[in-house]
Amino acid sequence: MTMTRRLHAGRRAATAALGLTLLLALTGCGDDTDGRASVPEGWSTLDTDSLSVGYPKAQGYTEQPAAERSRSNAAVALKVEDGIRTGMVSVQLNFATGVSDAAEAAAAAGAGIGLGSTRKATKDVRLAGPSPARDARRIDYDFTADGKDDTPNRGTPMTGVLVAGVDSSGVPFVVRLNAVKGAVAGEDLDAFVGSITVK
């Protein structure tokens, strides 16, 4: 009788443990919200005080030295072909005032896309990093190059994606990838967004 009770108790404990494991898997409690985002193979990372983001190094992007980039950018990676800047990943911090959440950050960042651009999609995304800094907004858009500052010839079709939010210290950020249309696959744009870790 004692052996039977022990067997039932053991089965109940095993069932409870299995149930807890399944519950954790289903609720995502095992997800490390403070962890780092995955960066695809062949990519490198731009690292700033507010976030880190991947860029496709294997596709010809290289990090721009601090002395050469605009003062408004905290980090930049460029793809330059025959002297023309055909792709750019940039990070701007504290780019707007009075911004306290992802919606406000996206509104401010979206205003800077330009009059000649066409928004394709806007959606909320969740980034790696501490909550609530994980909340961000993604905007996909198309535009045409203006031919200035070593960019492609005026009128060249371009595509872009930006991600805006606020880090855990309340600093607004916007991360952009702009490139000649068709040069960056849709899955690479998704990978770019998925590579962001907010601090």
Side-chain angles (χ1 to χ4, degrees), residues 13 38 75 78 89 111 188 194 199:
S38 63
L78 298 174
V89 172
D188 284 339
K199 301 177 184 177

Side-chain angles (χ1 to χ4, degrees), residues 15-157:
T15 303
L18 178 60
L20 180 59
T21 302
L22 288 171
L23 180 64
L24 286 172
L26 289 171
T27 59
C29 292
D31 185 31
D32 182 7
T33 57
D34 292 323
R36 294 185 66 83
S38 63
V39 177
E41 188 176 343
W43 289 40
S44 193
T45 305
L46 296 176
D47 195 46
T48 71
D49 292 339
S50 291
L51 60 88
S52 65
V53 59
Y55 66 91
K57 186 174 183 178
Q59 295 177 29
Y61 285 75
T62 58
E63 186 169 358
Q64 187 180 37
E68 296 177 15
R69 68 175 181 252
S70 164
R71 298 180 94 185
S72 62
N73 291 321
V76 172
L78 298 174
K79 182 174 183 178
V80 178
E81 300 175 272
D82 298 323
I84 301 299
R85 193 179 73 209
T86 58
M88 177 176 173
V89 172
S90 64
V91 180
Q92 289 182 305
L93 307 177
N94 252 335
F95 68 96
T97 57
V99 170
S100 60
D101 60 27
E104 292 173 348
I113 290 175
L115 292 175
S117 64
T118 302
R119 291 195 191 202
K120 297 192 299 180
T122 300
K123 63 181 179 180
D124 294 330
V125 292
R126 293 278 282 168
L127 307 175
S131 188
R134 302 178 69 202
D135 295 326
R137 189 159 287 180
R138 169 181 176 168
I139 301 174
D140 290 82
Y141 55 96
D142 287 337
F143 63 105
T144 55
D146 59 14
K148 299 177 182 177
D149 301 321
D150 300 322
T151 58
N153 292 334
R154 184 178 179 84
T156 300

